Amino acid sequence: MEQEITLKKESQPLAFLKPLVVKFTPKFQKGDIISSLKKTGITIVSILLFLGLWHLGSKALYNKEAAYKIEKALTEQGQAAADAERACIASGDSSCQPNTLPSPAQVWSSLQALIADHKVITADKAAFVEKMAETNIKLVEQGKDAIVYTGRASFVDIVLTSIKTVFAGFLLALLIAVPIGVIIGLSPSLRSAFNWFIQVFKPVSPVVWYLLVFMIVKTLYIGDSSDNAFVISFISVGLCAMWATLVNTAMGVSSVDKDYINVAKVLKLGTFQKVFKVILPSSLPLIFTGLRITLSVAWMVLIAIELLAQSQGLGLFVWEEFQNGANDSNAKIIVAMFIIGIIGFLLDRLMLTVQNMVSFNKNEGV
Amino acid sequence: MAYLELNNINKTYGEGENATEVLSDINLSIEEGEFVAIVGFTGSGKTTLVNLINGLLKPSSGEVLFKGEPVVDTSHERGVIFQNYSLLPWLTVGQNVYMAVKEAFPKESKSTLQQRVRDYVDMVSLTPAINKRPKELSGGMRQRVAVARALAMNPEMIIMDEPLGALDALTRGNLQDEILNIWSKDKRTALLITNDVDEGIYMADRIIPLKPGPNATLGPEFKIDIERPRDKTALNDNPNYKKTRNAIIEYLMDIGESRKSVSQEEFVLPEIAPKSFVA
């Protein structure tokens, strides 16, 4: 019986999807259905409970502010004004509504408004592109720049910008932190050389990172009128978030099991082979733990940095809505909050799946 | 000139006041084709001794000579089977062996190397498990992979550091026979470190006890005059076997006793009286 040796890590191109497939292939048994129903039931109950408490809380706040408004009208302008105010609030007219924590229903309708708005803007954009198509062809023929749509961004565009920023920042963190982490993990003297650097810069706040990056990028872009907000924000996000990966990589590399090092020595692996065949694979679990922290930190600091950098993402959206103070602004802020939370959760799940795929039990070889 | 020679080896860990001398005054010479077993208590410095011979450690004083040349580094000529298998968990059985073979024969073509991997995996009868990861294997199978990995590099000398220590008695017996088979097939030199006197007698030409550390040193050697191939069941009735076994065990018991009497210390016990929590 002839067996093929698999010398590549995975023989099938899609083998890395296997755990996912297994995870999502339902294997139904009677007990499973009951226990999963129970789990889902508990989750639904807790969500309903949360929504209920939220609704009651926002109602209480609404009533408090409404009572204050009527009271104020009464003391300042008399009974007639107070009655008018009361009638106005009761009618639901947007001009006199108390501006406080929005209720779940308001947030839901804001979300729908944002989606409708997105559809309108998308249609606008398509129409604009169609209208300008001929003109643009002419412009390009004349060697001029084509006219692009510069209307306001829709909510979906804003979310996509934020995700793009986070991923660019994450990639930057990965490209900086992993190689440096490996190098300082390998050499104890470099480790002590870099230690003060890491200790000093790790606790620096996102705002300060932004300012630092702004100082540098502003000078680099001098004389260039193009928008550098995206560049500044993704670099700031990357620098802010990379420390967990740097520290974890250095630790993983420096604490490789002595048995594996002995194997590398006995087999007389060269330095390159030793790093890539023994040290890196064995520190992968720790590196991925670091990357997971980095991704969640990146998503967390994103809001503050986008706000400062005026990058068209969720951070700026939240800030502009707050400054705007329109009737549904508060509800839109809450929508953004949920979107941020849910995307953060999905990103973390994504990283966890990848981490589980590359991890192995430390004692498996022993 | 002996094949492997250890001259007045001392090995000290730590420095200054914290220094502990683990091995002192070790002298050993092994001839080509010989099977030597070193038997000692746990913690007597057996692994240190192995690492000195395979080149992972350097002696504090004295020298290790391999074919007349001082050992300064590890070498493909001396294959090592570690006590705890030390397989790389992210590689399959085939990949673990392939990694070693590729380093040992850098000039060979890929298909030759793969054939070699298959041959050696087959030799330890693990062909069905060649694409499995170590975690999917039992302890005995893992150790067989480690044996295949060490032997596939075609070393002139096999150094085994308690290779079967963690295995159950049945697997142990099987692997002992497998190792003996391989050893006798092309008469490599072998050094076996073990804490099992019977294993030593069954497998080796000579047994040398290692006195317990610190300051461990080698005791007098015992020659095993039993014809090969040895039969495990017949061994029990062999008068020679009984005599040697008793002599070695008596020796080990004696040094164990004398060590106990040396290390007698006076401990002052603290005065403790029961305390009442009720009052």
Side-chain angles (χ1 to χ4, degrees), chain B residues 8-217:
Chain B
N8 308 315
I9 298 281
N10 279 281
K11 179 67 191 173
T12 314
Y13 285 121
E15 269 173 44
E17 282 191 9
N18 297 323
T20 355
E21 196 171 0
V22 183
L23 297 173
S24 61
D25 202 25
I26 301 269
N27 286 291
L28 173 71
S29 74
I30 298 176
E31 297 300 326
E32 189 159 5
E34 233 188 338
F35 199 128
V36 175
I38 291 176
V39 182
F41 294 105
T42 29
S44 58
K46 288 179 302 217
T47 301
T48 306
L49 182 60
V50 164
N51 288 344
L52 285 173
I53 296 171
N54 65 31
L56 283 174
L57 289 175
K58 287 188 182 62
S60 306
S61 71
E63 54 175 2
V64 183
L65 295 176
F66 180 70
K67 296 201 286 188
E69 298 282 321
V71 168
V72 286
D73 196 2
T74 54
S75 157
H76 289 148
E77 291 175 323
R78 297 184 300 277
V80 186
I81 302 173
F82 289 104
Q83 185 172 6
N84 44 13
Y85 324 143
S86 299
L87 302 175
L88 302 179
W90 53 90
L91 298 180
T92 63
V93 169
Q95 286 165 342
N96 263 296
V97 180
Y98 184 81
M99 193 169 155
V101 174
K102 204 174 140 212
E103 286 305 314
F105 308 101
K107 283 174 194 148
E108 296 285 349
S109 74
K110 199 171 170 181
S111 58
T112 327
L113 293 179
Q114 293 196 356
Q115 189 53 46
R116 195 174 178 85
V117 171
R118 275 192 286 272
D119 290 346
Y120 276 86
V121 171
D122 189 48
M123 185 189 75
V124 292
S125 23
L126 280 177
T127 303
I130 195 162
N131 285 329
K132 286 192 175 150
R133 302 261 152 109
K135 69 169 171 186
E136 298 166 86
L137 306 179
S138 69
M141 289 161 97
R142 288 182 202 177
Q143 191 56 284
R144 277 175 7 221
V145 180
V147 171
R149 181 176 64 182
L151 294 176
M153 298 172 80
N154 204 14
E156 293 179 30
M157 181 177 182
I158 318 166
I159 301 166
M160 292 166 274
D161 179 11
E162 292 195 58
L164 313 175
L167 304 180
D168 62 282
L170 276 176
T171 324
R172 211 171 183 180
N174 286 338
L175 263 178
Q176 284 170 357
D177 289 335
E178 270 179 47
I179 292 173
L180 276 178
N181 255 335
I182 295 159
W183 167 76
S184 61
K185 223 189 275 171
D186 37 24
K187 276 289 169 193
R188 293 187 174 105
T189 313
L191 176 68
L192 171 74
I193 307 276
T194 177
N195 55 16
D196 181 351
V197 178
D198 291 329
E199 185 174 278
I201 298 176
Y202 179 60
M203 297 177 78
D205 298 320
R206 270 194 295 157
I207 290 186
I208 303 163
L210 185 65
K211 290 184 187 171
N215 301 322
T217 187

Side-chain angles (χ1 to χ4, degrees), chain B residues 256-264:
Chain B
E257 284 295 316
S258 64
R259 182 196 182 202
K260 256 183 222 158
S261 57
V262 167
S263 67
Q264 242 168 29

Side-chain angles (χ1 to χ4, degrees), chain A residues 92-110:
Chain A
D93 185 14
S94 62
S95 65
C96 52
Q97 286 302 306
N99 197 9
T100 179
L101 178 72
S103 71
Q106 281 171 305
V107 171
W108 179 247
S109 62
S110 276

